Amino acid sequence: MNNGKAVVLVVEDSTIIRMGAVDLVLSAGYEALEANDAEEAIRILESRNDVDLVFTDVQMPGTMDGIKLSHYIRDRWPPVQLIVASGEAILEESSLPTGSKFFSKPYDERTIIETMALLMLKDV
Amino acid sequence: MLQTPTEHFEAASTLAVVVSSHEPLLFLSEEQRVIAASASFCRAFAIDPATVSGKCLSELGNGEWAMPKLASLLRATASGSAQIEAYEIDLERPNQTARNLVVNARTLDDGDRDHVRLLLAVTDVTDERAAARLKDDLIREKAILLQEVQHRVANSLQIIASVLMQSARRVQSEEARGQLRNAHNRVMSIAALQRQLSTASGETVELRTYFIQLSQSLGASMIDDPDRLSILVKSDDTTVSAGVSVSLGLIVTELVINALKHAFPDQPTGQIVIDYHSSGKDWTLSVADNGVGMPLGGDAPKAGLGTGIVEALAKNLSGTVAATDANPGTIVTISHRENSDSRDGLPQA
């Protein structure tokens, strides 16, 4: 938490979709951070300790996709909540860390906001 | 009295039949010596026909036919304990790629039980197997490509949806905001169909599942209090082509948006029911609400964009639109009757 505001890190390589996701996070009343890929996301997570939730895409450039990233985060920063979105309609639920939520794109913004609120509640 | 082994002669006609066989064929003694080989066999496996007679199977060519498994299967066939049917072996020859062979062996039954002889038919299926592999590869590639395309479509729809929602959040006018949200809902209803298609095995869409997804998507974005307003889907097991389902889905989207906007201004609770049923080629789609009802006749408001969209889509499907009082509420029905259709002289596919 940062000044009482929950912090959400958006990881998404498409600029327009990332803008939309950041806008969504802000409109939900959280603070938004953004990363273009998994590496940048990990750098941000290492540099600060107030990220409450990571909202990540699956297909991204670089060595780590969103699924690998979510496992990495679950291992290194267990309290960080995870939401994963992908253009793939079906994703093996088992391929994601337990407790993370998956949505296929295009996601419904209200559902994402509700899920964030729910996960933050767990976080407290 | 001692029996001296005598040479056994085959009927000339038998040998002639074997030699002239179109299918590569070997006529073997019980000891797996070649009595005759078809010209097609010699040609197919590059063996000099002059050298085959009396040779052991294992000595043919450069010894490439000395396959222990084949020899033991032929022994079993000769003893009557087994029969080789469509047994697959690989023929390996130096400096040549291996050939995939299918062999069939049986004993020759001509009434002479003292002399067991074997007929071995050999089919070279290398090219067929290669073609089948190529086809499998193509199918796999196509599946991957299709997945890639679906992925891109999903991402593109996400971009449009994101932009529309960002615009809706920024715009000042309540009416404009409503229009942007409606546009967003239309995009999401196409997305629901896209998702349905990408998870379906064929080219058809199961309507009930699709309508349920649609109503969930519309409800999630338009209903603030799910305890107050709900959307129910009643549909039979009909599946339709992707093209038809786009039109049906958009009609449902427009009608549900309309009902959610106008039917329940102050009602404590309300329900919208999406119903689709078909009989043969006739079908009826209806969206009913139990709200305040729609002013009909002279009091009816000027038709909006949604009404225009519904009418255009219904016309596409050769359907007619009717709005009636449901007491309480309104029911809009799109019906398609095959008879009226043929009179219109619609172009046949």
Side-chain angles (χ1 to χ4, degrees):
Chain A
M1 296 260 178
N2 183 27
N3 311 324
K5 262 191 186 177
V7 179
V8 175
L9 170 58
V10 174
V11 192
E12 166 70 64
D13 61 310
S14 156
T15 317
I16 298 182
I17 299 178
R18 192 171 64 243
M19 269 172 63
V22 166
D23 198 44
L24 175 158
V25 168
L26 295 175
S27 77
Y30 308 125
E31 186 184 330
L33 303 172
E34 43 189 308
N36 190 50
D37 56 26
E39 271 178 43
E40 200 182 340
I42 290 168
R43 268 205 304 281
I44 292 172
L45 283 160
E46 281 171 342
S47 70
R48 46 198 295 170
N49 56 4
D50 60 349
V51 176
D52 298 281
L53 187 147
V54 173
F55 178 28
T56 182
D57 182 24
V58 171
Q59 249 193 12
M60 289 182 297
T63 50
M64 220 187 246
D65 67 9
I67 295 172
K68 281 192 186 152
L69 174 66
S70 61
H71 281 283
Y72 188 82
I73 293 172
R74 177 60 88 243
D75 286 347
R76 270 191 72 179
W77 296 280
V80 174
Q81 300 292 344
L82 295 160
I83 296 179
V84 181
S86 167
E88 276 172 70
I90 327 169
L91 199 105
E92 284 287 324
E93 288 277 344
S94 55
S95 65
L96 293 173
T98 46
S100 55
K101 300 280 178 200
F102 172 76
F103 296 97
S104 58
K105 283 183 182 174
Y107 42 76
D108 184 79
E109 302 213 344
R110 228 201 256 189
T111 313
I112 299 286
I113 291 172
E114 276 165 19
T115 307
M116 282 182 176
L118 210 73
L119 290 174
M120 301 287 194
L121 214 64
K122 250 199 258 173
D123 197 35
V124 174
Chain B
M1 191 177 136
L2 261 173
Q3 255 199 346
T4 49
T6 54
E7 188 87 14
H8 178 86
F9 292 101
E10 300 299 335
S13 58
T14 307
L15 299 178
V17 166
V18 171
V19 170
S20 60
S21 162
H22 179 70
E23 189 184 14
L25 199 64
L26 283 176
F27 187 32
L28 304 168
S29 71
E30 190 172 6
E31 298 79 33
Q32 299 178 20
R33 276 186 191 283
V34 178
I35 302 167
S38 71
S40 55
F41 176 88
C42 296
R43 211 166 38 242
F45 301 106
I47 288 166
D48 182 357
T51 65
V52 296
S53 195
K55 249 195 195 160
C56 256
L57 176 65
S58 57
E59 297 163 353
L60 283 184
N62 293 310
E64 63 266 19
W65 291 88
M67 289 175 264
K69 190 77 186 168
L70 179 61
S72 81
L73 279 162
L74 284 169
R75 266 197 304 280
T77 306
S79 71
S81 62
Q83 190 167 317
I84 308 181
E85 264 177 59
Y87 181 73
E88 295 215 29
I89 52 171
D90 288 338
L91 179 70
E92 314 265 2
R93 284 174 293 180
N95 305 324
Q96 286 191 55
T97 52
R99 308 296 296 179
N100 309 122
L101 307 182
V102 169
V103 298
N104 283 282
R106 53 171 304 141
T107 54
L108 181 71
D109 183 9
D110 63 354
D112 183 352
R113 298 191 174 186
D114 297 333
H115 292 94
V116 174
R117 283 139 306 148
L118 297 156
L119 271 175
L120 177 67
V122 184
T123 315
D124 188 336
V125 294
T126 314
D127 297 340
E128 285 93 320
R129 293 285 185 273
R133 263 199 308 278
L134 186 68
K135 202 177 117 206
D136 285 351
D137 288 349
L138 284 173
I139 290 171
R140 230 188 332 273
E141 272 170 34
K142 194 180 160 224
I144 292 169
L145 190 67
L146 186 66
Q147 218 178 8
E148 182 66 22
V149 168
Q150 278 161 348
H151 206 148
R152 278 170 196 225
V153 170
N155 257 312
S156 306
L157 289 171
Q158 179 68 66
I159 289 174
I160 300 168
S162 288
V163 169
L164 287 170
M165 283 306 279
Q166 287 179 76
S167 311
R169 277 195 286 269
R170 273 167 186 70
V171 82
Q172 297 299 318
S173 137
E174 186 58 46
E175 196 197 341
R177 186 155 45 241
Q179 293 295 352
L180 285 165
R181 289 223 171 98
N182 286 350
H184 177 261
N185 282 325
R186 287 167 188 137
V187 170
M188 295 302 277
S189 83
I190 298 283
L193 175 68
Q194 185 63 28
R195 200 168 302 158
Q196 189 78 9
L197 277 172
S198 66
T199 53
S201 47
E203 295 285 291
T204 56
V205 174
E206 205 206 322
L207 282 179
R208 192 194 299 129
T209 319
Y210 174 43
F211 288 159
I212 288 172
Q213 270 202 29
L214 261 188
S215 58
Q216 280 168 349
S217 161
L218 288 166
S221 70
M222 291 189 75
I223 296 175
D224 287 311
D225 180 3
D227 290 333
R228 188 171 90 88
L229 299 177
S230 61
I231 308 172
L232 183 72
V233 174
K234 283 187 196 167
S235 173
D236 60 17
D237 291 329
T238 307
T239 57
V240 297
S241 73
V244 169
S245 68
V246 180
S247 299
L248 291 173
L250 283 172
I251 289 173
V252 167
T253 304
E254 294 307 324
L255 294 176
V256 170
I257 288 175
N258 201 49
L260 284 173
K261 275 203 309 203
H262 303 296
F264 314 105
D266 307 302
Q267 273 60 17
T269 60
Q271 189 175 54
I272 295 168
V273 179
I274 302 164
D275 190 333
Y276 181 96
H277 52 265
S278 62
S279 154
K281 286 187 171 172
D282 296 348
W283 53 262
T284 307
L285 167 70
S286 68
V287 175
D289 66 70
N290 58 357
V292 290
M294 193 166 68
L296 299 167
D299 296 333
K302 204 169 130 264
L305 173 63
T307 312
I309 292 175
V310 169
E311 273 170 2
L313 292 168
K315 204 173 162 192
N316 264 352
L317 299 169
S318 312
T320 51
V321 188
T324 46
D325 198 332
N327 270 325
T330 307
I331 176 163
V332 179
T333 310
I334 291 91
S335 40
H336 169 91
R337 296 288 169 265
E338 195 62 16
N339 291 342
S340 58
D341 208 76
S342 53
R343 250 184 293 144
D344 290 341
L346 278 180
Q348 298 293 314

